[in-house]
Amino acid sequence: MRRSSLVAKQVISVRSACSLGFVSQLWVDASSWMVVVVEVRQSLLSGEMERFLLEDVSQVGDVVLVPDEGVMDNELKLVGLDTLEGYDVVTSSRRNVGKVRGYNFNINTGAVESLELDSFGSSLIPTSLVSTYCLFVEDVLKVVADTVIVHEGASSRVQRITKGFWDAQKAETPQDRFTEYPEYTNRGERSVRGRNNWSSRNQRSPLRRDFEDEDDWELPMDY
């Protein structure tokens, strides 16, 4: 499951059928690459924050089902956990690879399988606008201070998921657009040359007629 598929879903208690809020964040233990804690708020933009363990999720569909309100535990500590979204991804030599916009994980076990990267690090930007890439967690060395450090050769193993409109526009140049229509351009050039030749013939022909008329002139009889 993608992280973005779980965030913003409503959490419902199976026992009472009451809403417990909306998923606002997921917290990952980067040492074991497991999603551990689910953060919930009463609304998507504000409200008191509550937490429960991912293992307490009963089912995920249009909503997230949990057994009852008792799963909420505000005593859960977030020390040593990371959100990952927006983190820089660099190689061990500090070569930039991208930014984390999300990840894929197993909803049953919580195991993170791969990171989803782009150039902005925000899942709010649609994939139709920005290109996204996949990096498997096996290539990650460690996570330090909002930075994911990966093996030096990891950039060559990154796989593109989508090609965004913005990146496609950057890659396109005016010359590319011009060369898409060579036949049209050649026809235009031929037509211009044709008009020039026609014009030059028309410009010469009156002079030729003038000279021919001069040859036909006759002197006055009195002369």
Side-chain angles (χ1 to χ4, degrees), residues 38-173:
V38 180
E39 180 182 298
V40 177
R41 293 182 183 271
Q42 290 304 311
S43 72
L44 294 176
L45 301 177
S46 62
E48 184 180 353
M49 181 181 65
E50 296 185 286
R51 310 180 190 103
F52 64 89
L53 296 173
L54 180 70
E55 63 186 30
D56 289 326
V57 172
S58 301
Q59 186 177 343
V60 177
D62 294 335
V63 298
V64 178
L65 298 179
V66 295
D68 53 46
E69 293 85 345
V71 300
M72 295 297 182
D73 185 0
N74 292 332
E75 299 300 321
L76 290 173
K77 303 300 182 183
L78 301 178
V79 178
L81 303 182
D82 294 276
T83 61
L84 295 179
E85 185 180 15
Y87 283 26
D88 292 315
V89 180
V90 300
T91 64
S92 52
S93 62
R94 310 304 294 181
R95 178 185 175 188
N96 182 57
V97 178
K99 288 180 176 289
V100 180
R101 67 175 276 129
Y103 47 83
N104 291 287
F105 68 101
N106 187 312
I107 187 62
N108 296 315
T109 64
V112 178
E113 299 166 351
S114 62
L115 303 179
E116 188 176 344
L117 314 180
D118 66 13
S119 54
F120 295 94
S122 174
S123 58
L124 297 178
I125 302 176
T127 55
S128 59
L129 295 179
V130 62
S131 297
T132 59
Y133 303 86
C134 172
L135 175 69
F136 291 102
V137 295
E138 287 79 7
D139 279 316
V140 177
L141 293 174
K142 57 184 176 180
V143 178
V144 180
D146 297 347
T147 302
V148 179
I149 301 176
V150 299
H151 288 287
E152 196 61 38
S155 56
S156 63
R157 292 187 288 274
V158 170
Q159 302 175 13
R160 185 165 69 185
I161 305 173
T162 63
K163 184 175 183 180
F165 175 76
W166 287 344
D167 292 327
Q169 288 295 98
K170 291 177 184 177
E172 185 181 15
T173 64

Side-chain angles (χ1 to χ4, degrees), residues 196-208:
N196 290 340
N197 293 338
W198 181 84
S199 299
S200 60
R201 286 197 301 271
N202 284 350
Q203 289 174 357
R204 288 195 299 270
S205 56
L207 295 176
R208 188 178 298 111

Side-chain angles (χ1 to χ4, degrees), residues 20-41:
L20 304 181
F22 296 85
V23 177
S24 59
Q25 188 61 271
L26 302 179
W27 292 86
V28 178
D29 182 352
S31 62
S32 61
W33 286 108
M34 300 286 290
V35 178
V36 179
V37 175
V38 180
E39 180 182 298
V40 177
R41 293 182 183 271

